[in-house]
Amino acid sequence: EVQLVESGGGLIQPGGSLRLSCAVSGFSVSNNYMSWVRQAPGSGLEWVSILYSSGSTYYIDSVKGRFTISRDNSRNTVYLQMNSLRAGDTAVYYCARSMNGIVDYWGQGAVVTVSS
Amino acid sequence: DIRMTQSPSTLSASVGDRVTITCRASQSVSIWLAWYQQKPGKAPKVLISKASNLESGVPSRFSGSGSGTDFTLTISSLQRDDFATYYCQQYHTHLYSFGQGTKLEI
């Protein structure tokens, strides 16, 4: 059975850092395209970052230089390191597998709230 | 980056209606366009890929069309279970992107 389980969310002050984890079972993160997609309260979906099986990474402009996506193949886990957090980063962050461009598996979401 | 624009943002309809949602890309995405349905508190579910390819298990009342920059999602006869928010998503470039969503309400 495929499962993606996020952890690491919480309340953080502006300027702070958080690391989200996505523990995967049922497939290998090293062979798949893994992404983080976020959804701000009452808003739509925003594709934040993608990590290709090749190791290439891409980010939306608003998080470039602040967020880093990575994976630990031995733990079969994907991470999103978020630094210099802003109020606008407040959202539910979903870990997702995107095979052939479409997301076929999603995590349950991790809530990140940036507020003083 | 490719910007995806959906219209309308909100659509009021009734059970049995035929509805169409449009999605426009800021540059060509060829056929690399998917449609998702999202219900409150849930993760999205893919309905259509490659602009017109119905995903397994998705009812045939859903259909997609288009290529290049202009796409549509049509629901031929609305069922109560279809009231949700719909998103288009392009996967033509390295970093994918969603439209802002269309909320389909009664």
Side-chain angles (χ1 to χ4, degrees), chain B residues 32-77:
Chain B
W32 307 114
L33 190 286
W35 290 96
Y36 295 80
Q37 176 193 69
Q38 187 182 34
K39 295 185 178 179
K42 301 289 188 182
K45 169 190 168 184
V46 62
L47 303 173
I48 287 170
S49 62
K50 282 194 202 174
S52 60
N53 205 43
L54 198 66
E55 290 292 301
S56 175
V58 176
S60 59
R61 61 181 180 273
F62 290 92
S63 64
S65 65
S67 65
T69 60
D70 294 305
F71 302 87
T72 59
L73 171 70
T74 299
I75 309 173
S76 60
S77 179

Side-chain angles (χ1 to χ4, degrees), chain A residues 33 37 39 43-50 52 58-61 94 98 100-103 106-107, chain B residues 1 34 36 38 41-46 48-49 55 87 89 91 93-100:
Chain A
Y33 299 173
V37 175
Q39 188 165 33
S43 296
L45 301 166
E46 184 174 47
W47 209 298
V48 175
S49 180
I50 187 167
Y52 285 89
Y58 297 88
Y59 304 88
I60 53 169
D61 286 346
Y94 292 100
S98 48
N100 302 315
I102 61 171
V103 177
W106 300 79
Chain B
D1 295 355
Y36 295 80
Q38 187 182 34
K42 301 289 188 182
K45 169 190 168 184
V46 62
I48 287 170
S49 62
E55 290 292 301
Y87 295 92
Q89 176 234 323
Y91 49 105
T93 55
H94 290 301
L95 184 62
Y96 312 147
S97 52
F98 290 99
Q100 82 280 13

